[in-house]
Amino acid sequence: MTSGRTGLRLAACLLNISEGRRKDIVEKVARAAVCEDNGQEHLPATVLNIFSDYDYNRSVITIAAPVDRLGRSVVAACVEAFASIDMAEHSGIHPCLGAVDLVPIYPLSGVDVEECGTVARNIAETLVCRVPGCSIFLFGQAHLPEKQSLVQRRKQLGWFNRRAFNAATVIPDVGLSPTLRHGLTGVGASPYVMNCNVTVDTQDLATAKAIAGSVRGSSARGLKGVQSMAFPHNGQIEIACNVESFDDHDGRWAAGDKSGYVSYSILGRTYHYVSPWLIEASIKKSARDRGVRTVGTALVGFTPEECARCAAYALTSGVHEFWRMRGGVFM
């Protein structure tokens, strides 16, 4: 996966904000990533995709740019989000701790994950200067020297159970203690993480959680790199999966159509991830074993290769709001 024809060193941010119900706010945040001075100046970036969910009250905005320009666009979008979203008034079924809940930086082509970690740390430092009261925890390549993963940091902070979260006890990595309005924001870097959601036709949350657990990478027969949770959604239940790209040091996860694992390379480093069809097939089997059927699958945004290709096309073509060409998803 390269952008050799463009000579660009590309990175992306899948910006997670705690707003999925007010379309105008979501689009305003997305526009801030590519425009300055009230829209008079375009930044060297593109918004590739917007995915908003009403029940989750959450949106994922995919921003891509040359790696040395990405931070400026991400900070601009975050500043707009912090100004528009009040966590004290937020409600939604998806876990979250911050108005800007997650700022992950991923390499796309010509750049390594370590450099993305530097970009993430710079974003964190800039945000606490631009947004008084902003509170940040770091993860992955931005969390030095431990480099703890996003899941590890979230478990430490109580992200998975917001009711148990105690802001008074949190010591942020950057900034002051969390405020009611802004909450706590995660900023970090890792190899690309894809989002793939499968809906199951049941309202039995315990059964759905068992299905989610069966594909989780930490399970005995789970899928490598997959993290999964189950949420009530439109009268059914959605199995939401984060799909991590990972190094295959021992060669156990050979990529190919039959294996269901896909590989791509950046700067000579090969990464693997579970294909959406294998996730869907595995959840369908687990659901069927429990007498439940699946009713739909949604890939939130892109695979790593698609993200790199679309970013290269949009940036070389001067398309700053690529998401309008493919249509944003507002659920």
Side-chain angles (χ1 to χ4, degrees):
M1 181 176 69
T2 67
S3 59
R5 67 181 182 86
T6 68
L8 296 178
R9 302 172 61 248
L10 302 179
C13 174
L14 271 63
L15 182 67
N16 286 235
I17 62 173
S18 296
E19 177 57 67
R21 297 173 182 172
R22 296 177 293 174
K23 183 179 178 181
D24 59 323
I25 297 298
V26 176
E27 292 191 5
K28 193 175 180 182
V29 173
R31 186 155 182 79
V34 295
C35 291
E36 280 190 337
D37 299 330
N38 296 317
Q40 298 303 307
E41 178 187 356
H42 278 101
L43 296 174
T46 182
V47 174
L48 294 176
N49 189 64
I50 299 175
F51 186 95
S52 295
D53 191 284
Y54 187 93
D55 287 349
Y56 286 4
N57 201 6
R58 186 180 188 87
S59 296
V60 180
I61 301 171
T62 304
I63 305 165
V67 66
D68 59 339
R69 307 293 183 88
L70 181 62
R72 184 180 175 188
S73 290
V74 171
V75 167
C78 289
V79 169
E80 183 62 48
F82 278 124
S84 304
I85 302 168
D86 186 349
M87 281 303 291
E89 299 178 357
H90 181 272
S91 63
I93 62 174
H94 196 287
C96 64
L97 290 178
V100 176
D101 197 52
L102 185 65
V103 186
I105 306 300
Y106 305 137
L108 293 181
S109 59
V111 57
D112 58 33
V113 70
E114 290 79 11
E115 186 172 354
C116 288
T118 300
V119 172
R121 289 192 298 274
N122 290 340
I123 289 171
E125 296 288 351
T126 304
L127 278 176
V128 297
C129 294
R130 293 280 303 275
V131 183
C134 179
S135 182
I136 291 173
F137 73 88
L138 302 174
F139 66 89
Q141 290 293 329
H143 182 244
L144 301 176
E146 295 89 348
K147 299 182 182 180
Q148 289 184 308
S149 71
L150 176 61
V151 171
Q152 289 174 309
R153 299 305 325 274
R154 280 175 163 175
K155 286 180 178 178
Q156 293 168 359
L157 295 163
W159 183 87
F160 294 96
N161 184 3
R162 185 174 170 184
R163 287 173 296 181
F165 176 71
N166 185 353
T169 66
V170 171
I171 301 175
D173 297 313
V174 187
L176 304 175
S177 297
T179 64
L180 287 176
R181 178 177 178 84
H182 297 322
L184 182 65
T185 299
V187 179
S190 72
Y192 196 96
V193 178
M194 183 175 68
N195 304 113
C196 183
N197 301 337
V198 180
T199 302
V200 293
D201 190 18
T202 183
Q203 295 184 3
D204 184 343
L205 188 57
T207 296
K209 285 183 176 180
I211 295 169
S214 69
V215 299
R216 194 172 296 137
S218 57
S219 300
R221 297 185 179 180
L223 301 174
K224 173 76 171 177
V226 172
Q227 299 151 6
S228 56
M229 300 180 71
F231 302 107
H233 193 265
N234 294 331
Q236 297 167 322
I237 296 180
E238 190 167 75
I239 311 298
C241 300
N242 282 353
V243 186
E244 296 178 334
S245 298
F246 58 90
D247 289 312
D248 184 19
H249 298 296
D250 55 10
R252 290 181 57 201
W253 310 97
D257 293 340
K258 292 183 179 179
S259 74
Y261 285 83
V262 182
S263 67
Y264 65 94
S265 296
I266 301 176
L267 294 179
R269 182 182 297 182
T270 300
Y271 298 100
H272 300 260
Y273 66 92
V274 183
S275 67
W277 75 258
L278 179 57
I279 293 170
E280 181 180 28
S282 299
I283 290 177
K284 184 176 291 188
K285 179 182 184 305
S286 182
R288 186 172 60 245
D289 291 344
R290 293 168 172 82
V292 175
R293 68 187 184 96
T294 60
V295 292
T297 300
L299 178 63
V300 182
F302 307 90
T303 66
E305 304 96 315
E306 289 170 340
C307 192
R309 284 196 297 268
C310 290
Y313 168 79
L315 291 166
T316 55
S317 302
V319 180
H320 299 284
E321 294 182 291
F322 182 85
W323 72 270
R324 293 189 185 278
M325 295 175 58
R326 69 192 306 267
V329 179
F330 296 89
M331 299 177 65

